[in-house]
Amino acid sequence: MGTRLSDDPKLYFETHVFVCGNRRPPGHERGDCASKGSEKIRDYMKARVKELGLKGVRVNQAGCLDRCELGPCAVIYPEGVWYRLDSFETADKILELHVRQGGRLTENMLPEGK
Ligand code: FES
């Protein structure tokens, strides 16, 4: 019973980066990622993926990823690794270390279970 992993189709994107672009009214207790700059960083990251010629990589805007207090948040699949995407420099490091080299930018990874 059930589906075997070997029956799954090949990944359409090898790496899928979801960047929260949620915005809440000012003063909301949970805050939001857009007011911390996530939209500009997302746009920058998308442009860098093109400039670097990274194939099979897609950067998409996401709605709230429900880890608002730790944001601006991004999650990369299929690994399911979460990052605090707090600057253009961090975006560059994630593209180089995680996406290109398969490593981890440990200093920006979100803590487990929070
Ligand atoms: S507002 Fe970005 S994770 Fe909720």
Side-chain angles (χ1 to χ4, degrees), residues 1-101:
M1 285 301 273
T3 305
R4 293 193 341 254
L5 291 177
S6 60
D7 292 333
D8 287 350
K10 187 172 175 273
L11 293 176
Y12 193 79
F13 297 113
E14 286 176 31
T15 303
H16 213 153
V17 183
F18 292 96
V19 180
C20 175
N22 190 39
R23 184 179 293 279
R24 292 194 171 102
H28 191 284
E29 63 178 13
R30 294 200 71 189
D32 65 73
C33 294
S35 68
K36 296 174 199 163
S38 68
E39 293 161 313
K40 282 185 182 161
I41 301 170
R42 178 208 61 222
D43 289 347
Y44 174 79
M45 203 173 196
K46 284 175 79 134
R48 289 295 290 153
V49 165
K50 270 193 184 164
E51 285 169 12
L52 295 168
L54 297 174
K55 302 292 179 210
V57 179
R58 177 86 175 173
V59 178
N60 275 113
Q61 171 159 323
C64 177
L65 296 166
D66 204 22
R67 300 184 84 180
C68 322
E69 294 82 356
L70 303 175
C73 294
V75 59
I76 303 182
Y77 287 106
E79 301 93 319
V81 173
W82 292 73
Y83 285 108
R84 178 173 165 80
L85 185 61
D86 54 2
S87 67
F88 298 143
E89 186 187 7
T90 298
D92 279 332
K93 285 182 183 174
I94 289 171
L95 290 176
E96 180 57 35
L97 287 176
H98 185 122
V99 174
R100 213 202 301 249
Q101 296 181 23

